[in-house]
Amino acid sequence: MRKALFVLLLFSARPVFAQTAPEGIWQGYDGEWRHVSQQLIALAEATPEEKFAWRPAPGVRSTSEVYMHIALANFYLLSVTGPKMPADLKQGMEKTVTSKADIINWLKRSLDAVKAAHLAVAPKDLERKVHIADRDATVDGMYLRIIVHANEHMGQLIAYARMSGVVPPWANP
């Protein structure tokens, strides 16, 4: 009985396995970074300007604040590995940068900075030790934290979009 059920599940699930994977999936760090970057930009561009001020509750980050949090975190975490933070990045920008165009610009700059830095890093440099907050890490660990952080907030932004009536451009309504 169990074997028959397993075979039935295997064959009924086959169409799921036959689907084409989204661009970047299963293509290593750079492919996964390309994927999350494309999704973040596509969702930001699909979100109407007036929805950037939306927040699910008082005291919780607004849509614009989440996007700026990602951008600022990308630059900060990347700076721990060596590249300098942009000179025009200022304290408090998470709350002061609120226009859709400016947010998308900062987001793209941060995503491109991570992409360029990762493409340029020598494989042996990935094991170099760095210090952040109260612990030691490696450059590779910092890049892992950057991509995990971006994906974590991508999930948050998808939820925000759905709650505010925006359908992610890659999803079915």
Side-chain angles (χ1 to χ4, degrees), residues 136-168:
D136 291 326
T138 62
V139 169
D140 190 47
M142 294 305 299
Y143 280 108
L144 181 59
R145 180 70 260 171
I146 293 168
I147 199 168
V148 167
H149 183 258
N151 277 290
E152 173 186 346
H153 288 296
M154 169 52 71
Q156 178 185 12
L157 287 163
I158 290 168
Y160 275 31
R162 295 268 188 194
M163 287 188 287
S164 66
V166 176
V167 177

Side-chain angles (χ1 to χ4, degrees), residues 61-141:
R61 283 185 179 122
S62 68
T63 300
S64 68
E65 290 168 348
V66 175
Y67 280 115
M68 285 305 295
H69 171 75
I70 294 167
L72 298 172
N74 287 344
F75 284 124
Y76 169 67
L77 294 171
L78 188 59
S79 77
V80 172
T81 73
K84 301 282 184 230
M85 297 214 312
D88 56 340
L89 192 147
K90 305 290 183 227
Q91 188 84 8
M93 290 179 76
E94 187 173 305
K95 295 200 181 301
T96 60
V97 177
T98 57
S99 81
K100 177 178 176 173
D102 289 344
I103 290 162
I104 291 173
N105 179 51
W106 276 103
L107 183 63
K108 285 180 178 180
R109 282 178 63 188
S110 77
L111 296 169
D112 289 345
V114 172
K115 176 184 174 182
H118 191 262
L119 288 172
V121 72
K124 65 179 172 60
D125 196 38
L126 291 172
E127 294 307 314
R128 183 172 47 87
K129 298 286 186 206
V130 296
H131 188 80
I132 182 166
D134 63 343
R135 66 191 61 202
D136 291 326
T138 62
V139 169
D140 190 47

Side-chain angles (χ1 to χ4, degrees), residues 19-27 31-32 34-35 38-39 170:
Q19 294 176 355
T20 303
E23 178 59 33
I25 299 293
W26 304 307
Q27 295 177 335
E32 295 289 345
R34 187 171 59 252
H35 177 72
Q38 288 170 348
Q39 282 191 316
W170 61 86

